[in-house]
Amino acid sequence: MNKLYVVMVGLPARGKSTMARRIREGLEAEDFRVEVFNNGEIRRSMLGMDSAEPEFYDPDNAEGRARREEIARLNIAAARDYLAGDGHVAILDATNASRARRATIEAMLTDHPLLFVECVNDDPVALGAAIRRKTQMPEFARDTTQAAMESFTKRIHYYERMYAPCADESCWVRVDTLENRVVGEQIGGRVPYYHRIRDILVSAWVRNLYLVRHGETYYNVEGRIGGDSDLTLRGQAQAKELAAYFAGTEVPYIFTSTRKRSAQTAAPMREARPEATVMALPEFDEIDAGECESLRYDDIRRRFPDAFAARQRDKFHYVYPGGEGYVTLRERVERGVRRALFLAGGAPGVMIIGHQAINRMILSHFLYRRTEDVPYIFIPQTQFYHIVATQRKKLFELVRFM
Ligand code: F6P
């Protein structure tokens, strides 16, 4: 039977552990035996709070270096034992940032092929939120969020000093974990399972995405577009029904736009799950109708007849004067989806509470539609789209919640 070591590489908070989990799950689904060996877990159990200070990671701190080396060697040996037994793929999950560390791994693991999987991602928003999430690690329990973020950022700076991207290793692949895109690879030998793994790296990984539109607003009732209006009583009731429907469903991540109607729709959901991460992303703000903001479609037809006609002729490519069009929305909505899914890191459930035009664009990200049909996708306020997209499964369902 073919055996393989997969060695994760990358600075902290770049999505290595999520990717390691995806590789494990993807291969397990094919009935291979896979185990992840995580250095951080051993470090925490061996050293606990003694490894919380950023100076522990200072490359000039000889003692810290020795302890980290010891932990790495323990894990390398455990991975070797695993493959010597009945394991098929052992994944070493650690930064493995320096060339020297990777040379140690190459020297210790000579019995089976090695594939280095380097994770990169420099998106400032994704990185900032990933660092914030790290502050929940047990070693920061005594710190304020601010202090923990500073400490973790300092830790990253120490790693940056020793980081050398993969180059000399014989088999490596570099993946942008925000875009799920391979941005470099060198396969200089036989790597079992490589095509399977490469496909896992670039596949969408959304266990359950619940795409919801905000509840009814005063503007909706008046037929006005855009703006930042509040939910009506009916809209508030819809938000409550939504939360009631999801009681008992895991939704640890909820993304909204920065608009009141989106946040107000999320309110009962977040009350029911105080531990959930709720984040407003401006990428999910409704299409900006520029000079037509707050008008009714009838007002637009009367005041801007040419614009109205032009939009009817080609709704997808039409751009509002001083505002946006579906064609210009795509980039920011895609960025929002990438950021949200990176932050959710393969969580069991992610909810996005968006808007009519925004949800159409999000749907078209997962579901092929001709561009001319995208601006007409049905986006109701009492039903949501449930989307599952992994390497092995694509599911798409419109579900009524009230
Ligand atoms: O009417 C609600 C709304 O969300 C507006 O704010 C937005 O301009 C519009 O829907 C988008 O839908 P359409 O592209 O069909 O006008």
Side-chain angles (χ1 to χ4, degrees), residues 126-319:
L127 205 56
I131 291 173
R132 181 171 287 270
R133 199 172 52 191
K134 295 277 186 190
T135 62
Q136 287 156 11
M137 292 196 305
E139 65 235 50
F140 295 123
R142 291 191 306 230
D143 293 329
T144 61
T145 304
Q146 189 55 30
M149 282 186 76
E150 278 164 22
S151 171
F152 198 82
T153 305
K154 218 163 162 195
R155 186 189 296 192
I156 293 179
H157 288 322
Y158 283 130
Y159 273 109
E160 276 165 350
R161 277 176 41 197
M162 45 189 149
Y163 179 44
C166 287
D168 298 336
E169 294 74 12
S170 87
C171 297
W172 56 265
V173 54
R174 181 174 300 125
V175 57
D176 181 323
T177 48
L178 193 74
E179 306 231 2
N180 288 332
R181 178 178 294 169
V182 167
V183 290
E185 64 189 316
Q186 173 175 291
I187 302 299
R190 205 184 67 80
V191 178
Y193 314 113
Y194 185 61
H195 290 109
R196 286 188 179 84
I197 292 174
R198 195 187 186 287
D199 197 40
I200 293 168
L201 302 179
V202 301
S203 294
W205 205 264
V206 190
R207 269 179 229 284
N208 291 291
L209 172 63
Y210 308 107
L211 183 61
V212 181
R213 184 175 170 200
H214 62 81
E216 183 191 79
T217 65
Y218 289 101
Y219 260 35
N220 289 153
V221 174
E222 293 165 22
R224 295 181 189 281
I225 66 170
D228 193 13
S229 122
D230 291 297
L231 295 188
T232 59
L233 285 177
R234 186 150 169 242
Q236 291 169 25
Q238 287 162 347
K240 284 199 188 106
E241 287 291 331
L242 180 74
Y245 183 91
F246 277 93
T249 305
E250 282 187 281
V251 190
Y253 286 86
I254 300 170
F255 295 94
T256 67
S257 76
T258 67
R259 299 294 172 219
K260 285 193 288 192
R261 54 196 185 277
S262 172
Q264 289 170 4
T265 305
M269 283 289 296
R270 70 188 299 172
E271 267 163 38
R273 38 178 75 63
E275 71 297 342
T277 301
V278 182
M279 219 175 147
L281 292 180
E283 284 86 352
F284 295 147
D285 286 355
E286 182 55 311
I287 188 170
D288 176 358
E291 291 172 23
C292 296
E293 276 284 300
S294 299
L295 297 181
R296 299 185 176 92
Y297 290 111
D298 245 11
D299 304 330
I300 301 174
R301 190 162 47 87
R302 270 187 283 111
R303 286 167 58 175
F304 306 98
D306 292 347
F308 190 82
R311 191 165 200 254
Q312 283 209 314
R313 266 196 311 277
D314 185 355
K315 194 173 174 189
F316 186 85
H317 292 100
Y318 176 79
V319 178

Side-chain angles (χ1 to χ4, degrees), residues 61-130:
N61 171 357
E63 198 196 321
R65 218 174 47 228
R67 303 307 293 271
R68 284 186 291 111
E69 200 59 29
E70 183 191 344
I71 292 164
R73 283 172 185 274
L74 277 174
N75 244 346
I76 297 169
R80 195 172 47 202
D81 289 348
Y82 179 65
L83 291 200
D86 61 4
H88 297 130
V89 178
I91 306 176
L92 287 172
D93 181 16
T95 57
N96 299 317
S98 68
R99 177 67 202 122
R101 164 68 65 78
R102 298 198 295 270
T104 304
I105 293 171
E106 286 169 325
M108 285 179 71
L109 300 178
T110 52
D111 47 350
H112 300 290
L114 273 172
L115 171 68
F116 292 93
V117 176
E118 182 176 350
C119 296
V120 296
N121 158 25
D122 286 322
D123 179 78
V125 173
L127 205 56

